[in-house]
Amino acid sequence: MRVLIVEDEPNLGQQLKNTLEGAGYAIDLATDGEEGHYLGSTESYDAIVLDLGLPEIDGLTVLDRWRKEGRTAPVLVLTARDSWSDKVAGLDAGADDYVAKPFQTEELIARLRALIRRASGNASSELTAGDVRLDTRSGKVTKAGEAVKLTAQEYKLLSYLLHHKGKVVSRTELIEHIYDQDFDRDSNTIEVFVTRIRKKLGQDVITTIRGLGYSLEDPDA
């Protein structure tokens, strides 16, 4: 899953980037409202973490512009702890949730997981397809109850397909959502990761739709 962080405080922004990357997300970091608005308008994100007190363009204006442009990615706003008016304004502008500063990163990650699940129509923190299970809280993957070890990129690809189970996902979409903006998008690594996942979880777990992309479905669907 790919997440945009828009935060002007250097230490906090880098801390969030490092923490979320460690949790398996592909992260882009913007340090002002203008850059944040541009990235959110031109790139594909599964969720956005948006500080409201930004230089150049304030966070509420950025959020309002995204929504008017039809951008529907879930947005988690960062607010001052005692500013209830900022919370209300953020939600009214189109935010999906908020976290008050200072906050625990575990809470922020949990809220992000919930936003991404809801946006893809998944209520549970466990994503399943047949006997394959992925626990978004622990990052563990099992097949028929047995733990399966995946690399970070294999996990990201499987997680994205499970979040969009039953849909055909193009190679381009996968690249846009499991890598940050600096990745070489002409790479053929998606095919390599699909092959590796099939070896670990079974040849039928991911279906190739010729000319369109990949699909992951329940075996009995």
Side-chain angles (χ1 to χ4, degrees):
M1 294 295 171
R2 188 176 174 198
V3 175
L4 171 64
I5 299 171
V6 190
E7 170 58 61
D8 66 310
E9 203 286 304
N11 290 335
L12 178 57
Q14 192 60 48
Q15 177 189 356
L16 286 174
K17 184 176 188 294
N18 293 342
T19 299
L20 290 174
E21 285 178 340
Y25 295 94
I27 302 298
D28 293 334
L29 175 61
T31 57
D32 62 61
E34 185 173 357
E35 181 186 14
H37 172 255
Y38 174 77
L39 287 175
S41 297
T42 58
E43 299 287 338
S44 297
Y45 294 102
D46 297 289
I48 298 173
V49 178
L50 175 68
D51 186 24
L52 295 186
L54 296 169
E56 305 299 336
I57 307 173
D58 68 88
L60 284 177
T61 300
V62 171
L63 178 55
D64 183 62
R65 290 182 181 179
W66 282 336
R67 295 314 191 212
K68 287 180 178 177
E69 293 164 359
R71 297 290 171 173
T72 60
V75 174
L76 175 67
V77 296
L78 305 181
T79 72
R81 177 169 293 280
D82 297 325
S83 181
W84 64 267
S85 59
D86 281 352
K87 300 171 188 175
V88 172
L91 293 171
D92 283 345
D96 299 273
D97 199 357
Y98 66 86
V99 171
K101 295 181 179 180
F103 54 83
Q104 296 295 321
T105 54
E106 291 83 357
E107 178 187 1
L108 184 142
I109 293 172
R111 289 182 179 274
L112 272 180
R113 284 198 303 260
L115 288 180
I116 292 171
R117 286 200 311 267
R118 289 198 294 267
S120 59
N122 294 285
S124 173
S125 60
E126 273 199 349
L127 307 177
T128 64
D131 61 358
V132 174
R133 292 181 176 271
L134 184 152
D135 189 329
T136 60
R137 295 167 299 182
S138 65
K140 293 181 179 178
V141 176
T142 61
K143 179 176 174 60
E146 297 294 324
V148 178
K149 187 174 181 180
L150 300 181
T151 67
Q153 298 302 343
E154 291 165 3
Y155 177 89
K156 290 177 184 178
L157 191 151
L158 178 65
S159 175
Y160 192 83
L161 289 176
L162 280 168
H163 273 89
H164 299 83
K165 185 171 65 175
K167 301 177 182 178
V168 178
V169 180
S170 70
R171 177 179 175 276
T172 299
E173 182 177 345
L174 284 169
I175 290 173
E176 288 178 345
H177 286 268
I178 69 173
Y179 294 110
D180 61 40
Q181 67 185 116
D182 297 324
F183 179 74
D184 176 8
R185 298 190 176 187
D186 291 329
S187 171
N188 67 348
T189 52
I190 295 297
E191 288 81 0
V192 173
F193 293 145
V194 168
T195 299
R196 290 178 182 173
I197 291 171
R198 284 172 172 159
K199 288 181 179 178
K200 295 178 179 182
L201 296 177
Q203 292 299 315
D204 297 332
V205 67
I206 299 174
T207 301
T208 300
I209 311 298
R210 186 176 297 275
L212 297 176
Y214 301 96
S215 178
L216 191 153
E217 301 183 14
D218 281 314
D220 298 331

